[in-house]
Amino acid sequence: VTCFLFIGGVLGFIAAWTGFSIFRFILYLKDEVLTVLGTSSSESALVPLMQKLEKLGCSKPVVGLVVPSGMSFNMDGTNIYLTMAALFMAQAMNIDLSWGQQLSLLGVAMLTSKGMAGVFGGSFITLAATLAVVPTIPVAGLALILGVDRFLAEIRTATNFIGNGVAAVVISRWEGELDAGKLAVELRGR
């Protein structure tokens, strides 16, 4: 639910500010998003995403820099997953976390999600490392989410993927390298 709120709220606001609809954008990328959902890996749709972003009116140099680097450093879904999973485990084990512990958990999750391996299960291992920041949450609590991690991997990967696409459009606009007319026509035509 948090990832959907992030996509609809935060990314939706950023997309609207940039001049396009997040829902039309997701519809435009539906084939790639389905591939990402099926494989739980953003890399499986890297080239088609870059081609579609260029077709949308983003410049090739911006897309060539933003999308590949975003696959390692723009991990929105993974950051949400790490934070929410740790908070879920604490709540399930009846462990009260202070605001300071929650904020430090968020800060460490933001750092550990950067450069993380883009393979299935990578976030689960990163979550184990993130839990070291709050020693009151035992690492054994990972057993609580082990069964649903596959489904969570699909959603967090799709969130990462959509976030990287939005970032490329936003950076293109910021750099004056976005053909806004082409963007509007492509998103309306799909």
Side-chain angles (χ1 to χ4, degrees), residues 37-126:
L37 283 170
T39 61
S40 296
S41 173
S42 298
E43 284 82 2
S44 61
L46 175 70
V47 174
L49 173 66
M50 293 174 74
Q51 291 169 343
K52 279 198 168 178
L53 287 170
E54 289 172 21
K55 189 175 176 187
L56 268 179
C58 299
S59 72
K60 189 172 186 151
V62 171
V63 170
L65 177 66
V66 172
V67 174
S69 62
M71 295 291 176
S72 293
F73 298 110
N74 186 17
M75 306 292 261
D76 306 328
T78 302
N79 188 19
I80 292 169
Y81 163 77
L82 293 174
T83 306
M84 296 306 290
L87 292 176
F88 169 77
M89 287 187 288
Q91 186 178 23
M93 292 186 279
N94 202 23
I95 298 170
D96 290 327
L97 297 176
S98 68
W99 281 103
Q101 288 174 313
Q102 291 179 39
L103 290 174
S104 65
L105 189 62
L106 175 65
V108 169
M110 288 170 72
L111 291 174
T112 56
S113 67
K114 307 302 179 220
M116 187 193 73
V119 295
F120 175 69
S123 295
F124 198 73
I125 302 304
T126 305

Side-chain angles (χ1 to χ4, degrees), residues 27 29-30 38 49 77 84 88 94 108 112 121 147 160 166 170 179:
L27 188 59
L29 296 175
K30 72 178 182 309
L49 173 66
M84 296 306 290
F88 169 77
N94 202 23
V108 169
T112 56
N160 291 338
V166 169
V170 169
D179 185 345

Side-chain angles (χ1 to χ4, degrees), residues 1 5 12 21 24 33 60 62 74 82 87 108 127 165 169 188:
V1 174
L5 291 174
S21 165
R24 287 184 189 260
V33 171
K60 189 172 186 151
V62 171
N74 186 17
L82 293 174
L87 292 176
V108 169
L127 177 58
V169 176
R188 247 186 262 123

Side-chain angles (χ1 to χ4, degrees), residues 6-45:
F6 175 76
I7 291 171
V10 176
L11 290 181
F13 173 76
I14 292 169
W17 175 75
T18 305
F20 66 99
S21 165
I22 189 68
F23 300 110
R24 287 184 189 260
F25 184 73
I26 293 170
L27 188 59
Y28 180 76
L29 296 175
K30 72 178 182 309
D31 293 337
E32 291 76 16
V33 171
L34 289 173
T35 300
V36 165
L37 283 170
T39 61
S40 296
S41 173
S42 298
E43 284 82 2
S44 61

